[in-house]
Coordinates of all heavy atoms in Angstrom, one line a residue:
G646 N -9.1 9.8 3.0 CA -10.1 10.8 3.3 C -11.5 10.3 3.0 O -11.7 9.1 3.0
L647 N -12.4 11.2 2.9 CA -13.8 10.9 2.8 C -14.2 11.1 1.3 O -13.9 12.2 0.7 CB -14.7 11.8 3.7 CG -16.2 11.7 3.5 CD1 -16.7 10.3 3.9 CD2 -16.8 12.7 4.4
V648 N -14.9 10.2 0.7 CA -15.3 10.3 -0.7 C -16.7 9.7 -0.8 O -17.0 8.7 -0.1 CB -14.3 9.6 -1.6 CG1 -14.2 8.1 -1.4 CG2 -14.6 10.0 -3.1
Q649 N -17.4 10.2 -1.8 CA -18.8 9.6 -2.1 C -18.6 8.3 -2.9 O -17.6 8.1 -3.7 CB -19.6 10.6 -2.8 CG -20.0 11.8 -2.0 CD -21.0 12.7 -2.7 OE1 -21.0 12.7 -4.0 NE2 -21.7 13.6 -2.0
A650 N -19.6 7.4 -2.8 CA -19.6 6.2 -3.7 C -19.5 6.6 -5.1 O -20.1 7.5 -5.6 CB -20.9 5.4 -3.4
G651 N -18.6 5.9 -5.8 CA -18.4 6.1 -7.2 C -17.2 7.1 -7.5 O -16.7 7.2 -8.6
G652 N -16.7 7.7 -6.4 CA -15.6 8.6 -6.5 C -14.3 7.9 -6.5 O -14.2 6.7 -6.5
S653 N -13.2 8.7 -6.5 CA -11.8 8.2 -6.6 C -10.9 8.8 -5.5 O -11.2 9.9 -5.1 CB -11.3 8.5 -8.0 OG -12.0 7.9 -9.0
L654 N -9.9 8.1 -5.2 CA -8.9 8.5 -4.3 C -7.5 8.0 -4.8 O -7.5 6.9 -5.3 CB -9.1 8.1 -2.8 CG -10.1 8.9 -2.0 CD1 -10.2 8.2 -0.6 CD2 -9.6 10.4 -1.8
R702 N -10.9 -1.9 -10.6 CA -11.2 -0.6 -10.0 C -10.0 0.0 -9.4 O -9.9 1.3 -9.5 CB -12.3 -0.8 -8.9 CG -13.6 -1.4 -9.4 CD -14.7 -1.3 -8.3 NE -14.3 -2.1 -7.1 CZ -14.1 -1.6 -5.9 NH1 -14.3 -0.3 -5.6 NH2 -13.8 -2.4 -4.9
F703 N -9.1 -0.8 -8.9 CA -7.9 -0.2 -8.3 C -6.7 -0.5 -9.1 O -6.6 -1.5 -9.8 CB -7.7 -0.9 -6.9 CG -8.7 -0.5 -5.8 CD1 -9.8 0.2 -6.1 CD2 -8.5 -1.0 -4.5 CE1 -10.7 0.5 -5.2 CE2 -9.4 -0.7 -3.6 CZ -10.5 0.1 -3.9
M718 N -7.6 4.4 -6.6 CA -8.9 3.8 -6.3 C -10.0 4.5 -7.1 O -10.3 5.7 -6.8 CB -9.1 3.7 -4.8 CG -8.0 3.1 -4.0 SD -8.4 2.9 -2.3 CE -8.4 4.6 -1.8
N719 N -10.7 3.8 -7.9 CA -11.8 4.3 -8.7 C -13.1 3.5 -8.4 O -13.0 2.4 -7.9 CB -11.5 4.3 -10.2 CG -10.3 5.1 -10.6 OD1 -10.1 6.2 -10.1 ND2 -9.6 4.6 -11.6
A720 N -14.2 4.1 -8.7 CA -15.5 3.5 -8.5 C -15.6 2.9 -7.1 O -16.0 1.8 -6.9 CB -15.7 2.4 -9.6
L721 N -15.3 3.8 -6.2 CA -15.3 3.3 -4.8 C -16.7 3.0 -4.3 O -17.7 3.6 -4.6 CB -14.7 4.4 -3.9 CG -13.2 4.5 -4.0 CD1 -12.7 5.8 -3.4 CD2 -12.5 3.3 -3.2
K722 N -16.8 2.0 -3.4 CA -18.0 1.5 -2.8 C -18.0 1.7 -1.3 O -16.9 1.7 -0.7 CB -18.2 0.1 -3.1 CG -18.2 -0.3 -4.6 CD -18.2 -1.8 -4.8 CE -18.1 -2.2 -6.3 NZ -18.1 -3.7 -6.4
P723 N -19.1 1.8 -0.6 CA -19.1 1.9 0.8 C -18.3 0.7 1.5 O -17.7 0.9 2.5 CB -20.6 1.8 1.2 CG -21.2 2.5 0.0 CD -20.5 2.0 -1.2
D724 N -18.3 -0.5 0.9 CA -17.6 -1.6 1.4 C -16.1 -1.4 1.3 O -15.4 -2.2 1.9 CB -18.0 -2.9 0.7 CG -19.4 -3.4 1.0 OD1 -20.0 -2.9 2.0 OD2 -19.9 -4.3 0.3
D725 N -15.6 -0.5 0.6 CA -14.2 -0.2 0.6 C -13.7 0.6 1.8 O -12.5 0.8 2.0 CB -13.8 0.6 -0.7 CG -14.1 -0.2 -2.0 OD1 -13.8 -1.4 -2.0 OD2 -14.5 0.4 -3.0
T726 N -14.7 1.1 2.6 CA -14.3 1.8 3.8 C -13.4 0.9 4.7 O -13.8 -0.2 5.1 CB -15.6 2.2 4.6 OG1 -16.3 3.2 3.8 CG2 -15.2 2.9 5.9
V753 N -9.8 5.5 4.9 CA -10.6 5.8 3.7 C -12.1 5.5 4.0 O -12.4 4.4 4.4 CB -10.2 4.9 2.5 CG1 -11.2 5.0 1.3 CG2 -8.8 5.2 2.0
T754 N -12.9 6.5 3.9 CA -14.3 6.4 4.2 C -15.1 6.7 2.9 O -15.0 7.8 2.3 CB -14.7 7.3 5.3 OG1 -14.0 7.0 6.5 CG2 -16.2 7.1 5.6
V755 N -16.0 5.8 2.5 CA -16.8 5.9 1.3 C -18.3 6.0 1.7 O -18.8 5.1 2.3 CB -16.6 4.8 0.3 CG1 -17.4 5.0 -1.0 CG2 -15.1 4.6 0.0
S756 N -18.9 7.1 1.5 CA -20.3 7.3 1.9 C -21.2 6.9 0.7 O -20.8 6.9 -0.4 CB -20.5 8.8 2.2 OG -20.3 9.6 1.0
S757 N -22.4 6.5 1.1 CA -23.4 6.1 0.1 C -24.3 7.2 -0.3 O -25.0 7.1 -1.3 CB -24.3 5.0 0.7 OG -25.0 5.5 1.9

Side-chain angles (χ1 to χ4, degrees):
L647 175 65
V648 66
Q649 292 182 341
S653 298
L654 282 175
R702 299 188 298 121
F703 292 5
M718 304 186 292
N719 299 322
L721 284 163
K722 307 173 182 179
D724 286 346
D725 294 322
T726 296
V753 172
T754 302
V755 184
S756 65
S757 60

